[in-house]
Amino acid sequence: GAWHDKIIPFENANLVAIRKILTQLYDVTIELDKGLDLDKTYSGVTVYYDDIDSTLMQLSYTVPIEFIKTDGNIKIIPKRE
């Protein structure tokens, strides 16, 4: 798979699909905020870091999201304008 290249590719993936990839890779619980547009799809790559925070930061350059971390749980929220 592409993970060995430290790249996580996604093509026409919505946030539900992206969340699934991330939860499989990092074995974490990720909650999607109600305000997110789950119909919109994104294509691109993000870099795979050992640390999910870094991966999410990288992802936020491609996908308009921010994230909040509390007690090991991660919540993805829409990026504030």
Side-chain angles (χ1 to χ4, degrees):
W3 321 128
H4 303 305
D5 308 330
K6 298 291 188 194
I7 294 286
I8 304 169
F10 51 96
E11 196 161 330
N12 296 326
N14 64 10
L15 283 167
V16 175
I18 292 169
R19 171 178 69 177
K20 189 176 173 193
I21 294 168
L22 293 174
T23 52
Q24 286 172 341
L25 285 174
Y26 292 99
D27 193 25
V28 290
T29 302
I30 300 175
E31 185 189 340
L32 296 175
D33 185 73
K34 291 181 183 68
L36 292 164
D37 181 355
L38 300 181
D39 294 327
K40 190 157 169 39
T41 59
Y42 306 94
S43 296
V45 295
T46 188
V47 179
Y48 175 82
Y49 294 98
D50 294 333
D51 168 31
I52 191 170
D53 294 27
S54 303
T55 299
L56 283 167
M57 280 297 298
Q58 184 76 28
L59 184 63
S60 73
Y61 298 129
T62 310
V63 181
I65 56 162
E66 293 179 16
F67 63 97
I68 304 168
K69 225 174 156 179
T70 45
D71 300 332
N73 289 335
I74 297 166
K75 182 171 188 177
I76 293 180
I77 60 170
K79 186 171 276 180
R80 292 180 288 269
E81 294 305 320

